[in-house]
Amino acid sequence: MLRSLKSDEKRVGRTVLDHSAKFVVYKEYVTNLDQAMAVLEAEESRDKVKKELVKCQLAAKSPFPLSAHITLPFQRLLKYHLLLAEVLKHTPE
Protein backbone atom coordinates (compact mmCIF):
# COMPACT_ATOMS: atom_id res chain seq x y z
CA MET A 1 0.00 0.00 0.00
CA LEU A 2 2.83 2.38 0.82
CA ARG A 3 4.38 1.81 -2.60
CA SER A 4 1.03 2.58 -4.25
CA LEU A 5 0.61 5.73 -2.17
CA LYS A 6 4.08 6.93 -3.11
CA SER A 7 3.59 6.25 -6.81
CA ASP A 8 0.29 8.10 -7.07
CA GLU A 9 -0.11 10.58 -4.22
CA LYS A 10 -3.28 12.08 -5.68
CA ARG A 11 -5.26 8.85 -5.41
CA VAL A 12 -5.06 8.22 -1.66
CA GLY A 13 -8.72 7.23 -1.32
CA ARG A 14 -8.61 4.92 -4.33
CA THR A 15 -5.39 3.31 -3.08
CA VAL A 16 -6.89 2.62 0.35
CA LEU A 17 -9.99 1.10 -1.27
CA ASP A 18 -7.85 -1.01 -3.59
CA HIS A 19 -6.02 -2.45 -0.59
CA SER A 20 -9.01 -2.68 1.77
CA ALA A 21 -9.45 -6.43 1.29
CA LYS A 22 -6.11 -6.92 3.03
CA PHE A 23 -7.54 -5.40 6.21
CA VAL A 24 -10.17 -8.14 6.59
CA VAL A 25 -7.61 -10.28 8.43
CA TYR A 26 -7.75 -7.78 11.29
CA LYS A 27 -11.42 -8.62 11.92
CA GLU A 28 -10.60 -12.12 13.18
CA TYR A 29 -7.47 -10.86 14.90
CA VAL A 30 -9.36 -8.21 16.86
CA THR A 31 -12.27 -10.54 17.58
CA ASN A 32 -9.91 -13.02 19.25
CA LEU A 33 -7.58 -10.50 20.91
CA ASP A 34 -9.23 -10.61 24.35
CA GLN A 35 -9.14 -14.41 24.38
CA ALA A 36 -5.49 -14.46 23.30
CA MET A 37 -4.55 -11.96 26.01
CA ALA A 38 -6.42 -14.01 28.65
CA VAL A 39 -4.61 -17.21 27.60
CA LEU A 40 -1.27 -15.41 27.63
CA GLU A 41 -1.97 -13.96 31.07
CA ALA A 42 -2.89 -17.41 32.41
CA GLU A 43 0.26 -18.94 30.93
CA GLU A 44 2.46 -16.13 32.22
CA SER A 45 1.29 -16.89 35.75
CA ARG A 46 3.22 -20.17 35.55
CA ASP A 47 6.82 -19.57 36.68
CA LYS A 48 8.45 -21.77 34.06
CA VAL A 49 6.60 -20.05 31.19
CA LYS A 50 7.24 -16.59 32.62
CA LYS A 51 10.99 -17.28 32.88
CA GLU A 52 11.08 -18.57 29.30
CA LEU A 53 9.22 -15.52 28.00
CA VAL A 54 11.61 -13.18 29.80
CA LYS A 55 14.55 -15.12 28.31
CA CYS A 56 13.04 -14.73 24.82
CA GLN A 57 12.42 -11.05 25.38
CA LEU A 58 16.05 -10.54 26.40
CA ALA A 59 17.32 -12.59 23.45
CA ALA A 60 15.21 -10.47 21.10
CA LYS A 61 16.52 -7.32 22.78
CA SER A 62 12.97 -6.08 23.02
CA PRO A 63 11.92 -3.61 25.68
CA PHE A 64 8.37 -4.92 25.32
CA PRO A 65 6.74 -8.06 26.72
CA LEU A 66 4.98 -10.54 24.43
CA SER A 67 1.60 -8.98 25.25
CA ALA A 68 2.73 -5.72 23.66
CA HIS A 69 3.67 -7.53 20.46
CA ILE A 70 0.25 -9.15 20.33
CA THR A 71 -1.54 -5.79 20.44
CA LEU A 72 0.87 -3.99 18.12
CA PRO A 73 -0.83 -4.86 14.79
CA PHE A 74 -4.18 -3.70 16.14
CA GLN A 75 -2.69 -0.45 17.43
CA ARG A 76 -1.06 0.14 14.07
CA LEU A 77 -4.40 -0.26 12.33
CA LEU A 78 -5.91 2.39 14.59
CA LYS A 79 -3.25 4.85 13.43
CA TYR A 80 -3.87 4.46 9.69
CA HIS A 81 -6.43 7.25 9.56
CA LEU A 82 -3.89 9.60 11.19
CA LEU A 83 -1.22 8.61 8.68
CA LEU A 84 -3.61 9.12 5.78
CA ALA A 85 -4.64 12.51 7.14
CA GLU A 86 -0.96 13.47 7.24
CA VAL A 87 -0.51 12.35 3.63
CA LEU A 88 -3.51 14.41 2.56
CA LYS A 89 -2.23 17.45 4.42
CA HIS A 90 1.00 17.35 2.40
CA THR A 91 -0.57 16.48 -0.94
CA PRO A 92 -0.91 19.43 -3.34
CA GLU A 93 -4.42 19.97 -4.64
Side-chain angles (χ1 to χ4, degrees):
M1 188 164 117
L2 179 59
R3 203 171 327 175
S4 296
L5 285 169
K6 284 182 176 181
S7 69
D8 194 354
E9 294 175 355
K10 293 182 181 187
R11 298 188 62 208
V12 173
R14 179 80 262 161
T15 300
V16 172
L17 287 175
D18 289 347
H19 292 270
S20 64
K22 296 173 186 169
F23 295 111
V24 173
V25 70
Y26 284 104
K27 179 181 176 186
E28 185 174 347
Y29 189 91
V30 171
T31 301
N32 294 310
L33 188 58
D34 287 340
Q35 183 180 355
M37 294 300 284
V39 169
L40 178 60
E41 189 176 312
E43 289 299 316
E44 283 180 333
S45 69
R46 297 173 38 207
D47 268 350
K48 188 175 181 179
V49 173
K50 188 170 187 125
K51 286 178 185 175
E52 199 59 38
L53 288 172
V54 168
K55 199 161 63 171
C56 290
Q57 183 180 347
L58 292 172
K61 298 179 182 166
S62 173
F64 305 108
L66 180 57
S67 59
H69 292 282
I70 290 173
T71 59
L72 187 65
F74 177 64
Q75 291 169 341
R76 188 174 294 137
L77 181 64
L78 293 176
K79 293 179 184 178
Y80 280 179
H81 74 283
L82 298 172
L83 294 170
L84 290 171
E86 193 65 25
V87 168
L88 288 173
K89 187 167 60 170
H90 295 290
T91 302
E93 292 186 31

